[in-house]
Amino acid sequence: MVVSSLADLTDAQKQELVASLSAIVVGTSGADVTADSLTAVATASGNSLSGAWASVFAQVVGKSGGIEKFCLAPGGGGGGGGGGGGGGGEAAAEEAVEEVEEEEADMGGGIDMFGGGDAGGGDY
């Protein structure tokens, strides 16, 4: 979800956003993620957070083993696999040796796509 303005969010969406951002702040600071700590961070940021949302997010983070499970490592994400790097010189050399050039087969005659012969007697 891309948030361009908080005014466009419903109350439930705002609560979820505040709860998740509070969980990131508390979890990455090394403190225990509890409902009270999430509420305290939300209040300090000038927002409010209902006890239900704080409790749900605290339980999810606690049961998962920490906020790290939900956050990408620095530089992580984006882009696909870049392939293996180096170390495969011998395998690459073997692969190059195994490649054999294919020869084009001689189809032996001048039949064109429209059924005409060499004389060009086709419809086109």
Side-chain angles (χ1 to χ4, degrees):
M1 164 174 72
V2 176
V3 178
S4 59
S5 172
L6 294 178
D8 296 338
L9 298 177
T10 65
D11 189 48
Q13 290 172 325
K14 288 178 190 175
Q15 288 287 306
E16 187 177 350
L17 180 62
V18 169
S20 54
L21 293 176
S22 297
I24 291 170
V25 169
V26 173
T28 57
S29 71
D32 289 334
V33 179
T34 64
D36 290 336
S37 63
L38 295 180
T39 304
V41 168
T43 303
S45 70
N47 294 289
S48 62
L49 182 60
S50 73
W53 280 105
S55 178
V56 166
F57 273 75
Q59 287 178 11
V60 168
V61 171
K63 288 182 179 182
S64 68
I67 196 71
E68 297 82 22
K69 306 278 185 186
F70 301 100
C71 299
L72 295 174
E90 190 174 314
E94 287 179 21
E95 184 177 317
V97 171
E98 290 179 17
E99 289 183 23
V100 178
E101 290 185 31
E102 294 182 21
E103 296 180 18
E104 291 186 25
D106 183 16
M107 298 304 263
I111 299 177
D112 68 12
M113 186 166 112
F114 299 106
D118 287 334
D123 291 337
Y124 299 96

